[in-house]
mmCIF file with all atom_site columns, all heavy atoms in Angstrom:
data_model
loop_
_atom_site.group_PDB
_atom_site.id
_atom_site.type_symbol
_atom_site.label_atom_id
_atom_site.label_alt_id
_atom_site.label_comp_id
_atom_site.label_asym_id
_atom_site.label_entity_id
_atom_site.label_seq_id
_atom_site.pdbx_PDB_ins_code
_atom_site.Cartn_x
_atom_site.Cartn_y
_atom_site.Cartn_z
_atom_site.occupancy
_atom_site.B_iso_or_equiv
_atom_site.pdbx_formal_charge
_atom_site.auth_seq_id
_atom_site.auth_comp_id
_atom_site.auth_asym_id
_atom_site.auth_atom_id
_atom_site.pdbx_PDB_model_num
ATOM 1  N N   . ILE A 1 4   ? 196.761 -37.480 -174.362 1.00 98.00 ? 4   ILE A N   1
ATOM 2  C CA  . ILE A 1 4   ? 196.619 -38.564 -173.342 1.00 98.00 ? 4   ILE A CA  1
ATOM 3  C C   . ILE A 1 4   ? 197.933 -39.372 -173.265 1.00 98.00 ? 4   ILE A C   1
ATOM 4  O O   . ILE A 1 4   ? 198.351 -39.976 -174.249 1.00 98.00 ? 4   ILE A O   1
ATOM 5  C CB  . ILE A 1 4   ? 195.519 -39.429 -173.740 1.00 98.00 ? 4   ILE A CB  1
ATOM 6  C CG1 . ILE A 1 4   ? 194.189 -38.700 -174.328 1.00 98.00 ? 4   ILE A CG1 1
ATOM 7  C CG2 . ILE A 1 4   ? 195.162 -40.408 -172.532 1.00 98.00 ? 4   ILE A CG2 1
ATOM 8  C CD1 . ILE A 1 4   ? 193.504 -37.926 -173.192 1.00 98.00 ? 4   ILE A CD1 1
ATOM 9  N N   . TYR A 1 35  ? 206.028 -43.158 -177.767 1.00 98.00 ? 35  TYR A N   1
ATOM 10 C CA  . TYR A 1 35  ? 205.562 -43.188 -179.183 1.00 98.00 ? 35  TYR A CA  1
ATOM 11 C C   . TYR A 1 35  ? 204.384 -42.050 -179.197 1.00 98.00 ? 35  TYR A C   1
ATOM 12 O O   . TYR A 1 35  ? 203.338 -42.146 -178.665 1.00 98.00 ? 35  TYR A O   1
ATOM 13 C CB  . TYR A 1 35  ? 204.727 -44.515 -179.487 1.00 98.00 ? 35  TYR A CB  1
ATOM 14 C CG  . TYR A 1 35  ? 205.677 -45.595 -179.893 1.00 98.00 ? 35  TYR A CG  1
ATOM 15 C CD1 . TYR A 1 35  ? 206.494 -46.145 -178.930 1.00 98.00 ? 35  TYR A CD1 1
ATOM 16 C CD2 . TYR A 1 35  ? 205.718 -46.098 -181.221 1.00 98.00 ? 35  TYR A CD2 1
ATOM 17 C CE1 . TYR A 1 35  ? 207.436 -47.143 -179.230 1.00 98.00 ? 35  TYR A CE1 1
ATOM 18 C CE2 . TYR A 1 35  ? 206.681 -47.106 -181.511 1.00 98.00 ? 35  TYR A CE2 1
ATOM 19 C CZ  . TYR A 1 35  ? 207.457 -47.736 -180.561 1.00 98.00 ? 35  TYR A CZ  1
ATOM 20 O OH  . TYR A 1 35  ? 208.261 -48.553 -180.843 1.00 98.00 ? 35  TYR A OH  1
ATOM 21 N N   . THR A 1 42  ? 192.897 -38.721 -181.557 1.00 98.00 ? 42  THR A N   1
ATOM 22 C CA  . THR A 1 42  ? 193.174 -37.982 -180.363 1.00 98.00 ? 42  THR A CA  1
ATOM 23 C C   . THR A 1 42  ? 194.688 -38.116 -180.129 1.00 98.00 ? 42  THR A C   1
ATOM 24 O O   . THR A 1 42  ? 195.431 -39.096 -180.429 1.00 98.00 ? 42  THR A O   1
ATOM 25 C CB  . THR A 1 42  ? 192.554 -38.853 -179.107 1.00 98.00 ? 42  THR A CB  1
ATOM 26 O OG1 . THR A 1 42  ? 191.093 -39.056 -179.491 1.00 98.00 ? 42  THR A OG1 1
ATOM 27 C CG2 . THR A 1 42  ? 192.712 -38.160 -177.806 1.00 98.00 ? 42  THR A CG2 1
ATOM 28 N N   . LEU A 1 63  ? 206.284 -38.285 -168.926 1.00 98.00 ? 63  LEU A N   1
ATOM 29 C CA  . LEU A 1 63  ? 205.077 -37.936 -169.784 1.00 98.00 ? 63  LEU A CA  1
ATOM 30 C C   . LEU A 1 63  ? 204.513 -36.512 -169.440 1.00 98.00 ? 63  LEU A C   1
ATOM 31 O O   . LEU A 1 63  ? 204.205 -35.803 -170.350 1.00 98.00 ? 63  LEU A O   1
ATOM 32 C CB  . LEU A 1 63  ? 203.867 -38.936 -169.501 1.00 98.00 ? 63  LEU A CB  1
ATOM 33 C CG  . LEU A 1 63  ? 203.976 -40.274 -170.227 1.00 98.00 ? 63  LEU A CG  1
ATOM 34 C CD1 . LEU A 1 63  ? 202.815 -41.180 -169.722 1.00 98.00 ? 63  LEU A CD1 1
ATOM 35 C CD2 . LEU A 1 63  ? 203.881 -40.108 -171.691 1.00 98.00 ? 63  LEU A CD2 1
ATOM 36 N N   . ILE A 1 72  ? 196.395 -39.062 -167.894 1.00 98.00 ? 72  ILE A N   1
ATOM 37 C CA  . ILE A 1 72  ? 197.170 -40.333 -167.956 1.00 98.00 ? 72  ILE A CA  1
ATOM 38 C C   . ILE A 1 72  ? 196.328 -41.410 -167.707 1.00 98.00 ? 72  ILE A C   1
ATOM 39 O O   . ILE A 1 72  ? 195.427 -41.386 -166.802 1.00 98.00 ? 72  ILE A O   1
ATOM 40 C CB  . ILE A 1 72  ? 198.393 -40.384 -166.884 1.00 98.00 ? 72  ILE A CB  1
ATOM 41 C CG1 . ILE A 1 72  ? 199.388 -39.323 -167.137 1.00 98.00 ? 72  ILE A CG1 1
ATOM 42 C CG2 . ILE A 1 72  ? 198.962 -41.752 -166.793 1.00 98.00 ? 72  ILE A CG2 1
ATOM 43 C CD1 . ILE A 1 72  ? 200.444 -39.269 -166.200 1.00 98.00 ? 72  ILE A CD1 1
ATOM 44 N N   . HIS A 1 98  ? 199.165 -47.758 -152.116 1.00 98.00 ? 98  HIS A N   1
ATOM 45 C CA  . HIS A 1 98  ? 200.338 -48.647 -152.033 1.00 98.00 ? 98  HIS A CA  1
ATOM 46 C C   . HIS A 1 98  ? 200.193 -49.702 -151.015 1.00 98.00 ? 98  HIS A C   1
ATOM 47 O O   . HIS A 1 98  ? 200.227 -49.285 -149.838 1.00 98.00 ? 98  HIS A O   1
ATOM 48 C CB  . HIS A 1 98  ? 201.692 -47.732 -151.734 1.00 98.00 ? 98  HIS A CB  1
ATOM 49 C CG  . HIS A 1 98  ? 201.940 -46.508 -152.680 1.00 98.00 ? 98  HIS A CG  1
ATOM 50 N ND1 . HIS A 1 98  ? 202.594 -46.785 -153.805 1.00 98.00 ? 98  HIS A ND1 1
ATOM 51 C CD2 . HIS A 1 98  ? 201.767 -45.326 -152.576 1.00 98.00 ? 98  HIS A CD2 1
ATOM 52 C CE1 . HIS A 1 98  ? 202.727 -45.723 -154.578 1.00 98.00 ? 98  HIS A CE1 1
ATOM 53 N NE2 . HIS A 1 98  ? 202.323 -44.663 -153.748 1.00 98.00 ? 98  HIS A NE2 1
ATOM 54 N N   . VAL A 1 138 ? 181.637 -50.920 -175.716 1.00 93.00 ? 138 VAL A N   1
ATOM 55 C CA  . VAL A 1 138 ? 182.490 -51.765 -176.545 1.00 93.00 ? 138 VAL A CA  1
ATOM 56 C C   . VAL A 1 138 ? 182.903 -53.168 -176.075 1.00 93.00 ? 138 VAL A C   1
ATOM 57 O O   . VAL A 1 138 ? 183.327 -53.878 -176.895 1.00 93.00 ? 138 VAL A O   1
ATOM 58 C CB  . VAL A 1 138 ? 183.826 -51.016 -176.801 1.00 93.00 ? 138 VAL A CB  1
ATOM 59 C CG1 . VAL A 1 138 ? 183.639 -49.624 -177.462 1.00 93.00 ? 138 VAL A CG1 1
ATOM 60 C CG2 . VAL A 1 138 ? 184.662 -50.808 -175.660 1.00 93.00 ? 138 VAL A CG2 1
ATOM 61 N N   . ASP A 1 153 ? 205.340 -53.740 -155.129 1.00 98.00 ? 153 ASP A N   1
ATOM 62 C CA  . ASP A 1 153 ? 206.396 -54.361 -155.943 1.00 98.00 ? 153 ASP A CA  1
ATOM 63 C C   . ASP A 1 153 ? 206.427 -55.831 -155.589 1.00 98.00 ? 153 ASP A C   1
ATOM 64 O O   . ASP A 1 153 ? 207.497 -56.404 -155.147 1.00 98.00 ? 153 ASP A O   1
ATOM 65 C CB  . ASP A 1 153 ? 207.686 -53.782 -155.759 1.00 98.00 ? 153 ASP A CB  1
ATOM 66 C CG  . ASP A 1 153 ? 207.798 -52.437 -156.442 1.00 98.00 ? 153 ASP A CG  1
ATOM 67 O OD1 . ASP A 1 153 ? 207.370 -52.266 -157.592 1.00 98.00 ? 153 ASP A OD1 1
ATOM 68 O OD2 . ASP A 1 153 ? 208.302 -51.341 -155.853 1.00 98.00 ? 153 ASP A OD2 1
ATOM 69 N N   . THR A 1 161 ? 198.506 -63.518 -148.482 1.00 98.00 ? 161 THR A N   1
ATOM 70 C CA  . THR A 1 161 ? 198.864 -62.109 -148.776 1.00 98.00 ? 161 THR A CA  1
ATOM 71 C C   . THR A 1 161 ? 197.658 -61.300 -149.300 1.00 98.00 ? 161 THR A C   1
ATOM 72 O O   . THR A 1 161 ? 197.464 -60.211 -149.170 1.00 98.00 ? 161 THR A O   1
ATOM 73 C CB  . THR A 1 161 ? 200.097 -62.057 -149.830 1.00 98.00 ? 161 THR A CB  1
ATOM 74 O OG1 . THR A 1 161 ? 201.088 -62.893 -149.252 1.00 98.00 ? 161 THR A OG1 1
ATOM 75 C CG2 . THR A 1 161 ? 200.596 -60.783 -150.069 1.00 98.00 ? 161 THR A CG2 1
ATOM 76 N N   . SER A 1 180 ? 201.640 -45.920 -158.108 1.00 98.00 ? 180 SER A N   1
ATOM 77 C CA  . SER A 1 180 ? 202.723 -44.992 -158.326 1.00 98.00 ? 180 SER A CA  1
ATOM 78 C C   . SER A 1 180 ? 202.434 -44.050 -159.421 1.00 98.00 ? 180 SER A C   1
ATOM 79 O O   . SER A 1 180 ? 202.898 -42.854 -159.383 1.00 98.00 ? 180 SER A O   1
ATOM 80 C CB  . SER A 1 180 ? 204.024 -45.675 -158.514 1.00 98.00 ? 180 SER A CB  1
ATOM 81 O OG  . SER A 1 180 ? 204.051 -46.527 -159.761 1.00 98.00 ? 180 SER A OG  1
ATOM 82 N N   . ASP A 1 203 ? 195.968 -65.647 -156.043 1.00 96.00 ? 203 ASP A N   1
ATOM 83 C CA  . ASP A 1 203 ? 196.086 -66.670 -154.985 1.00 96.00 ? 203 ASP A CA  1
ATOM 84 C C   . ASP A 1 203 ? 196.860 -67.871 -155.537 1.00 96.00 ? 203 ASP A C   1
ATOM 85 O O   . ASP A 1 203 ? 197.604 -67.724 -156.554 1.00 96.00 ? 203 ASP A O   1
ATOM 86 C CB  . ASP A 1 203 ? 194.707 -67.188 -154.642 1.00 96.00 ? 203 ASP A CB  1
ATOM 87 C CG  . ASP A 1 203 ? 193.988 -67.638 -155.682 1.00 96.00 ? 203 ASP A CG  1
ATOM 88 O OD1 . ASP A 1 203 ? 194.395 -68.004 -156.678 1.00 96.00 ? 203 ASP A OD1 1
ATOM 89 O OD2 . ASP A 1 203 ? 192.594 -67.890 -155.503 1.00 96.00 ? 203 ASP A OD2 1
ATOM 90 N N   . HIS A 1 220 ? 191.571 -56.756 -173.653 1.00 91.00 ? 220 HIS A N   1
ATOM 91 C CA  . HIS A 1 220 ? 190.299 -56.108 -173.152 1.00 91.00 ? 220 HIS A CA  1
ATOM 92 C C   . HIS A 1 220 ? 190.456 -54.734 -172.799 1.00 91.00 ? 220 HIS A C   1
ATOM 93 O O   . HIS A 1 220 ? 189.857 -53.902 -173.073 1.00 91.00 ? 220 HIS A O   1
ATOM 94 C CB  . HIS A 1 220 ? 189.681 -56.983 -172.031 1.00 91.00 ? 220 HIS A CB  1
ATOM 95 C CG  . HIS A 1 220 ? 189.136 -58.309 -172.335 1.00 91.00 ? 220 HIS A CG  1
ATOM 96 N ND1 . HIS A 1 220 ? 188.634 -59.245 -171.459 1.00 91.00 ? 220 HIS A ND1 1
ATOM 97 C CD2 . HIS A 1 220 ? 188.966 -58.946 -173.615 1.00 91.00 ? 220 HIS A CD2 1
ATOM 98 C CE1 . HIS A 1 220 ? 188.270 -60.234 -172.105 1.00 91.00 ? 220 HIS A CE1 1
ATOM 99 N NE2 . HIS A 1 220 ? 188.452 -60.179 -173.527 1.00 91.00 ? 220 HIS A NE2 1
#
Side-chain angles (χ1 to χ4, degrees):
I4 319 289
Y35 285 66
T42 307
L63 280 173
I72 294 182
H98 297 284
V138 300
D153 286 317
T161 311
S180 63
D203 59 14
H220 291 173

